[in-house]
Amino acid sequence: MPGKTVSSHFDEDLVSLLEDVSKADGHAPSRIVSTGARTFLSMSPPARRVAIRMEGAATQGERDFLARFVSRAALLAYQAILEERNLDRIRETERHEGTNTALCSEEDIEAEAARLCSM
């Protein structure tokens, strides 16, 4: 994707973390940085202000808590997106075929009912 190169100054710890994550996840450091920037810049202004304030004024434990909290929220949002996509496919299949399909066995229905009742 064509774009503009933007310089940034990372301390040694951040560079090391970026390199470690890049190797572990198999993505180029530039892709990780651009994804992180896009995600951060897409957040609401109050959320960005809090993150910036915490980067400068919070303890490491508080920053770790923020990272875990944001991580959980991202995973929950992704789960909801995937569930919604899957529901759309099931609805589309049912519309065309009119009855339960191989996608929904009795075991699948029972498992989904148990999951919904546990919420």
Side-chain angles (χ1 to χ4, degrees):
M1 158 175 42
K4 183 176 180 178
T5 299
V6 178
S7 297
S8 183
H9 296 280
F10 287 16
D11 62 29
E12 289 182 25
D13 291 340
L14 190 54
V15 169
S16 177
L17 179 60
L18 178 60
E19 290 170 346
D20 292 346
V21 169
S22 174
K23 288 176 188 171
D25 291 354
H27 297 292
S30 60
R31 182 169 185 196
I32 294 169
V33 171
S34 66
T35 300
R38 182 178 310 279
T39 301
F40 182 79
L41 296 172
S42 297
M43 292 168 51
S44 69
R48 285 195 309 267
R49 284 192 293 272
V50 165
I52 291 169
R53 185 172 300 132
M54 287 190 72
E55 181 62 28
T59 66
Q60 185 60 47
E62 291 167 338
R63 287 190 295 272
D64 290 345
F65 173 78
L66 176 64
R68 285 191 309 273
F69 196 85
V70 170
S71 296
R72 285 187 201 115
L75 292 172
L76 288 171
Y78 188 58
Q79 178 183 3
I81 289 166
L82 291 177
E83 287 176 353
E84 184 63 30
R85 286 179 184 173
N86 192 34
L87 287 176
D88 288 344
R89 285 189 197 127
I90 291 171
R91 288 182 194 133
E92 185 68 24
T93 301
E94 289 175 349
R95 247 182 268 140
H96 290 291
E97 296 184 15
T99 60
N100 286 344
T101 66
L103 294 174
C104 292
S105 68
E106 290 300 314
E107 291 81 14
D108 292 336
I109 294 169
E110 186 174 318
E112 181 65 8
R115 186 185 73 79
L116 292 172
C117 290
S118 68
M119 296 175 95

